[in-house]
Amino acid sequence: MNLILMGPPGAGKGTQATRLVSERGMVQLSTGDMLRQAARSGSKLGRRAAAIMETGAFVPDEVVIGLIAERLSGDRGGGFVFDGFPRTLAQADALEKLLTDAGAELAAVIELVVDPDELVERITGRISCGKCGAVYHLKTNPPARPDACDICGADDFRRRDDDSEEALRTRLMEYFRNTAPLTGYYYRAGLLRRVNCAGGPDEVAAQLHHELEAVVSA
Ligand code: AP5
Ligand code: MG
């Protein structure tokens, strides 16, 4: 089962995708994570992407489509969960073609719906482990010990470079202008489902599970 998790910055795409990896053996394809990894590597592409991401703008379509194309030929596990891709109509068209060429298809597109004020709360409280990338929230999902990552034990909590107030404003604007209209595209394709993300991560995961069961039995 291949899924898209769609939603604005801070909606919980990464949080839920990580759970789908551990609970259903799915393969998470997060273009944001891939770009941050490229930035850490110091490659030319990574440096170029980092400069764009820091402002909150989108990285060019051909770059992210190339990253996804590379991964589709790899291990499929229990299916792909696309996190933060596609974000534009050109990316959605490219994904459809790439999946068709790979003999695969989308089972559903899940829109994570969150109140905008709550998005700001989630983003401003987010910290992540600089060593393994595990994501926490200072209030709603803190690490068990304040000085050690639950997953790898490192004491290296960081905030993302693009979580500044100005970059967040641009990210939200980009989302509502370019990505939100894709819900119409997927609604027309009969693939769109919505999950209300007002509750905590466990509550959202339970609703997501409910939607996925409906997809499987449809
Ligand atoms: P990307 O990394 O995809 O960032 P984003 O879309 O802005 O989303 P976030 O990762 O900030 O939020 P999330 O929805 O994953 O939430 P999370 O689970 O962390 O992209 C970054 C940049 O890369 C883009 O701006 C662009 O420049 C570039 N880029 C990436 N893909 C691209 C593409 N396809 N095309 C062009 N450019 C691209 O949760 C947030 C916080 O809330 C955490 O602290 C978490 O613990 C907490 N939380 C999660 N769920 C809940 C809950 N239910 N209740 C309470 N707290 C919660
Ligand atoms: Mg994310």
Side-chain angles (χ1 to χ4, degrees), residues 8-15 17 28 30 32-33 36 83-84 87 123 126 135 160 171:
K13 302 182 293 295
T15 300
Q28 178 184 6
S30 160
D33 287 349
R36 280 184 287 278
D83 158 7
R87 270 171 143 100
I123 291 278
R126 172 170 53 194
V135 174
R160 261 171 46 181
R171 285 157 65 198

PDB file of all heavy atoms in Angstrom, residues 8-15 17 28 30 32-33 36 83-84 87 123 126 135 160 171, ligand 2:
ATOM      1  N   PRO A   8       0.269  20.726   6.198  1.00  0.00           N
ATOM      2  CA  PRO A   8       1.152  21.888   6.355  1.00  0.00           C
ATOM      3  C   PRO A   8       2.316  21.613   7.296  1.00  0.00           C
ATOM      4  O   PRO A   8       2.319  20.597   7.992  1.00  0.00           O
ATOM      5  CB  PRO A   8       0.214  22.955   6.926  1.00  0.00           C
ATOM      6  CG  PRO A   8      -0.907  22.207   7.553  1.00  0.00           C
ATOM      7  CD  PRO A   8      -1.067  20.942   6.775  1.00  0.00           C
ATOM      8  N   PRO A   9       3.306  22.520   7.342  1.00  0.00           N
ATOM      9  CA  PRO A   9       4.432  22.375   8.254  1.00  0.00           C
ATOM     10  C   PRO A   9       3.941  22.166   9.679  1.00  0.00           C
ATOM     11  O   PRO A   9       3.079  22.917  10.142  1.00  0.00           O
ATOM     12  CB  PRO A   9       5.167  23.716   8.157  1.00  0.00           C
ATOM     13  CG  PRO A   9       4.712  24.345   6.903  1.00  0.00           C
ATOM     14  CD  PRO A   9       3.375  23.766   6.575  1.00  0.00           C
ATOM     15  N   GLY A  10       4.462  21.153  10.350  1.00  0.00           N
ATOM     16  CA  GLY A  10       4.098  20.913  11.747  1.00  0.00           C
ATOM     17  C   GLY A  10       2.848  20.083  11.924  1.00  0.00           C
ATOM     18  O   GLY A  10       2.449  19.798  13.053  1.00  0.00           O
ATOM     19  N   ALA A  11       2.213  19.647  10.844  1.00  0.00           N
ATOM     20  CA  ALA A  11       0.967  18.883  10.968  1.00  0.00           C
ATOM     21  C   ALA A  11       1.197  17.531  11.640  1.00  0.00           C
ATOM     22  O   ALA A  11       0.293  16.976  12.262  1.00  0.00           O
ATOM     23  CB  ALA A  11       0.347  18.677   9.593  1.00  0.00           C
ATOM     24  N   GLY A  12       2.421  17.002  11.493  1.00  0.00           N
ATOM     25  CA  GLY A  12       2.716  15.689  12.082  1.00  0.00           C
ATOM     26  C   GLY A  12       2.986  14.622  11.029  1.00  0.00           C
ATOM     27  O   GLY A  12       2.889  13.431  11.319  1.00  0.00           O
ATOM     28  N   LYS A  13       3.356  15.043   9.815  1.00  0.00           N
ATOM     29  CA  LYS A  13       3.635  14.082   8.736  1.00  0.00           C
ATOM     30  C   LYS A  13       4.772  13.144   9.153  1.00  0.00           C
ATOM     31  O   LYS A  13       4.659  11.923   9.040  1.00  0.00           O
ATOM     32  CB  LYS A  13       4.039  14.816   7.433  1.00  0.00           C
ATOM     33  CG  LYS A  13       2.997  15.801   6.925  1.00  0.00           C
ATOM     34  CD  LYS A  13       3.419  16.462   5.627  1.00  0.00           C
ATOM     35  CE  LYS A  13       4.613  17.381   5.733  1.00  0.00           C
ATOM     36  NZ  LYS A  13       4.390  18.596   6.576  1.00  0.00           N
ATOM     37  N   GLY A  14       5.874  13.740   9.597  1.00  0.00           N
ATOM     38  CA  GLY A  14       7.038  12.930   9.975  1.00  0.00           C
ATOM     39  C   GLY A  14       6.733  12.028  11.158  1.00  0.00           C
ATOM     40  O   GLY A  14       7.107  10.849  11.164  1.00  0.00           O
ATOM     41  N   THR A  15       6.016  12.559  12.148  1.00  0.00           N
ATOM     42  CA  THR A  15       5.667  11.782  13.347  1.00  0.00           C
ATOM     43  C   THR A  15       4.846  10.559  12.960  1.00  0.00           C
ATOM     44  O   THR A  15       5.135   9.436  13.396  1.00  0.00           O
ATOM     45  CB  THR A  15       4.858  12.683  14.322  1.00  0.00           C
ATOM     46  OG1 THR A  15       5.673  13.802  14.670  1.00  0.00           O
ATOM     47  CG2 THR A  15       4.433  11.935  15.563  1.00  0.00           C
ATOM     48  N   ALA A  17       4.511   9.246   9.861  1.00  0.00           N
ATOM     49  CA  ALA A  17       5.225   8.381   8.898  1.00  0.00           C
ATOM     50  C   ALA A  17       6.180   7.444   9.650  1.00  0.00           C
ATOM     51  O   ALA A  17       6.277   6.256   9.330  1.00  0.00           O
ATOM     52  CB  ALA A  17       5.998   9.234   7.888  1.00  0.00           C
ATOM     53  N   GLN A  28       9.548   5.086   4.548  1.00  0.00           N
ATOM     54  CA  GLN A  28       9.261   6.529   4.561  1.00  0.00           C
ATOM     55  C   GLN A  28      10.129   7.242   3.534  1.00  0.00           C
ATOM     56  O   GLN A  28      11.353   7.108   3.556  1.00  0.00           O
ATOM     57  CB  GLN A  28       9.555   7.087   5.967  1.00  0.00           C
ATOM     58  CG  GLN A  28       9.333   8.581   6.093  1.00  0.00           C
ATOM     59  CD  GLN A  28       9.739   9.107   7.475  1.00  0.00           C
ATOM     60  OE1 GLN A  28      10.294   8.371   8.288  1.00  0.00           O
ATOM     61  NE2 GLN A  28       9.469  10.361   7.727  1.00  0.00           N
ATOM     62  N   SER A  30      10.781  10.886   2.807  1.00  0.00           N
ATOM     63  CA  SER A  30      10.606  12.288   3.187  1.00  0.00           C
ATOM     64  C   SER A  30      11.609  13.123   2.408  1.00  0.00           C
ATOM     65  O   SER A  30      12.821  13.019   2.638  1.00  0.00           O
ATOM     66  CB  SER A  30      10.852  12.453   4.692  1.00  0.00           C
ATOM     67  OG  SER A  30      11.144  13.811   4.984  1.00  0.00           O
ATOM     68  N   GLY A  32      12.052  16.265   2.682  1.00  0.00           N
ATOM     69  CA  GLY A  32      12.696  17.184   3.618  1.00  0.00           C
ATOM     70  C   GLY A  32      13.900  16.513   4.284  1.00  0.00           C
ATOM     71  O   GLY A  32      14.997  17.083   4.342  1.00  0.00           O
ATOM     72  N   ASP A  33      13.702  15.271   4.762  1.00  0.00           N
ATOM     73  CA  ASP A  33      14.820  14.544   5.401  1.00  0.00           C
ATOM     74  C   ASP A  33      15.954  14.295   4.396  1.00  0.00           C
ATOM     75  O   ASP A  33      17.128  14.419   4.730  1.00  0.00           O
ATOM     76  CB  ASP A  33      14.347  13.188   5.957  1.00  0.00           C
ATOM     77  CG  ASP A  33      13.481  13.341   7.210  1.00  0.00           C
ATOM     78  OD1 ASP A  33      13.419  14.451   7.767  1.00  0.00           O
ATOM     79  OD2 ASP A  33      12.858  12.341   7.623  1.00  0.00           O
ATOM     80  N   ARG A  36      17.830  17.532   3.931  1.00  0.00           N
ATOM     81  CA  ARG A  36      18.657  17.872   5.104  1.00  0.00           C
ATOM     82  C   ARG A  36      19.890  16.973   5.164  1.00  0.00           C
ATOM     83  O   ARG A  36      20.982  17.414   5.519  1.00  0.00           O
ATOM     84  CB  ARG A  36      17.832  17.757   6.402  1.00  0.00           C
ATOM     85  CG  ARG A  36      16.940  18.964   6.641  1.00  0.00           C
ATOM     86  CD  ARG A  36      16.202  18.887   7.966  1.00  0.00           C
ATOM     87  NE  ARG A  36      15.128  17.908   7.943  1.00  0.00           N
ATOM     88  CZ  ARG A  36      13.916  18.145   7.452  1.00  0.00           C
ATOM     89  NH1 ARG A  36      13.615  19.326   6.961  1.00  0.00           N
ATOM     90  NH2 ARG A  36      13.000  17.208   7.454  1.00  0.00           N
ATOM     91  N   ASP A  83       6.207  11.555   2.445  1.00  0.00           N
ATOM     92  CA  ASP A  83       6.080  12.569   3.502  1.00  0.00           C
ATOM     93  C   ASP A  83       6.663  13.880   2.962  1.00  0.00           C
ATOM     94  O   ASP A  83       7.864  13.999   2.784  1.00  0.00           O
ATOM     95  CB  ASP A  83       6.836  12.026   4.736  1.00  0.00           C
ATOM     96  CG  ASP A  83       7.265  13.095   5.729  1.00  0.00           C
ATOM     97  OD1 ASP A  83       6.897  14.269   5.580  1.00  0.00           O
ATOM     98  OD2 ASP A  83       7.990  12.738   6.682  1.00  0.00           O
ATOM     99  N   GLY A  84       5.765  14.813   2.629  1.00  0.00           N
ATOM    100  CA  GLY A  84       6.242  16.103   2.117  1.00  0.00           C
ATOM    101  C   GLY A  84       6.498  16.088   0.620  1.00  0.00           C
ATOM    102  O   GLY A  84       7.124  16.992   0.083  1.00  0.00           O
ATOM    103  N   ARG A  87       4.539  18.293  -3.611  1.00  0.00           N
ATOM    104  CA  ARG A  87       4.145  19.600  -3.092  1.00  0.00           C
ATOM    105  C   ARG A  87       3.652  20.526  -4.192  1.00  0.00           C
ATOM    106  O   ARG A  87       3.178  21.625  -3.909  1.00  0.00           O
ATOM    107  CB  ARG A  87       5.361  20.268  -2.453  1.00  0.00           C
ATOM    108  CG  ARG A  87       5.530  19.962  -0.992  1.00  0.00           C
ATOM    109  CD  ARG A  87       6.878  20.487  -0.557  1.00  0.00           C
ATOM    110  NE  ARG A  87       6.859  21.029   0.756  1.00  0.00           N
ATOM    111  CZ  ARG A  87       7.284  20.363   1.832  1.00  0.00           C
ATOM    112  NH1 ARG A  87       7.726  19.138   1.741  1.00  0.00           N
ATOM    113  NH2 ARG A  87       7.259  20.938   3.006  1.00  0.00           N
ATOM    114  N   ILE A 123       5.518  23.684  15.790  1.00  0.00           N
ATOM    115  CA  ILE A 123       6.820  24.000  15.193  1.00  0.00           C
ATOM    116  C   ILE A 123       7.744  24.672  16.213  1.00  0.00           C
ATOM    117  O   ILE A 123       8.928  24.353  16.298  1.00  0.00           O
ATOM    118  CB  ILE A 123       6.641  24.939  13.973  1.00  0.00           C
ATOM    119  CG1 ILE A 123       5.955  24.194  12.833  1.00  0.00           C
ATOM    120  CG2 ILE A 123       7.968  25.526  13.537  1.00  0.00           C
ATOM    121  CD1 ILE A 123       6.827  23.338  11.986  1.00  0.00           C
ATOM    122  N   ARG A 126       9.275  22.174  18.661  1.00  0.00           N
ATOM    123  CA  ARG A 126       9.954  20.962  18.147  1.00  0.00           C
ATOM    124  C   ARG A 126      11.460  21.016  18.405  1.00  0.00           C
ATOM    125  O   ARG A 126      12.115  22.018  18.163  1.00  0.00           O
ATOM    126  CB  ARG A 126       9.709  20.834  16.641  1.00  0.00           C
ATOM    127  CG  ARG A 126      10.541  19.704  16.031  1.00  0.00           C
ATOM    128  CD  ARG A 126      10.172  19.369  14.623  1.00  0.00           C
ATOM    129  NE  ARG A 126      10.164  20.498  13.736  1.00  0.00           N
ATOM    130  CZ  ARG A 126       9.615  20.489  12.533  1.00  0.00           C
ATOM    131  NH1 ARG A 126       9.030  19.394  12.095  1.00  0.00           N
ATOM    132  NH2 ARG A 126       9.641  21.554  11.774  1.00  0.00           N
ATOM    133  N   VAL A 135      12.477  12.981  16.400  1.00  0.00           N
ATOM    134  CA  VAL A 135      11.782  14.256  16.599  1.00  0.00           C
ATOM    135  C   VAL A 135      10.989  14.241  17.909  1.00  0.00           C
ATOM    136  O   VAL A 135      10.304  13.274  18.215  1.00  0.00           O
ATOM    137  CB  VAL A 135      10.827  14.517  15.402  1.00  0.00           C
ATOM    138  CG1 VAL A 135       9.977  15.758  15.647  1.00  0.00           C
ATOM    139  CG2 VAL A 135      11.641  14.689  14.127  1.00  0.00           C
ATOM    140  N   ARG A 160      15.428  23.073  14.036  1.00  0.00           N
ATOM    141  CA  ARG A 160      15.706  23.124  12.599  1.00  0.00           C
ATOM    142  C   ARG A 160      15.965  24.555  12.154  1.00  0.00           C
ATOM    143  O   ARG A 160      15.347  25.485  12.649  1.00  0.00           O
ATOM    144  CB  ARG A 160      14.516  22.532  11.821  1.00  0.00           C
ATOM    145  CG  ARG A 160      14.784  21.089  11.427  1.00  0.00           C
ATOM    146  CD  ARG A 160      13.626  20.373  10.859  1.00  0.00           C
ATOM    147  NE  ARG A 160      12.860  21.082   9.848  1.00  0.00           N
ATOM    148  CZ  ARG A 160      11.780  20.575   9.271  1.00  0.00           C
ATOM    149  NH1 ARG A 160      11.356  19.367   9.601  1.00  0.00           N
ATOM    150  NH2 ARG A 160      11.120  21.264   8.365  1.00  0.00           N
ATOM    151  N   ARG A 171       6.900  29.092   4.663  1.00  0.00           N
ATOM    152  CA  ARG A 171       6.519  27.685   4.468  1.00  0.00           C
ATOM    153  C   ARG A 171       5.004  27.523   4.457  1.00  0.00           C
ATOM    154  O   ARG A 171       4.445  26.786   3.638  1.00  0.00           O
ATOM    155  CB  ARG A 171       7.136  26.808   5.567  1.00  0.00           C
ATOM    156  CG  ARG A 171       8.621  26.580   5.365  1.00  0.00           C
ATOM    157  CD  ARG A 171       9.315  26.220   6.663  1.00  0.00           C
ATOM    158  NE  ARG A 171       8.878  24.954   7.216  1.00  0.00           N
ATOM    159  CZ  ARG A 171       9.082  24.597   8.491  1.00  0.00           C
ATOM    160  NH1 ARG A 171       9.707  25.408   9.320  1.00  0.00           N
ATOM    161  NH2 ARG A 171       8.668  23.427   8.912  1.00  0.00           N
TER     162      ARG A 171
HETATM  163 MG    MG B   2       8.585  16.502   8.668  1.00  0.00          MG
END
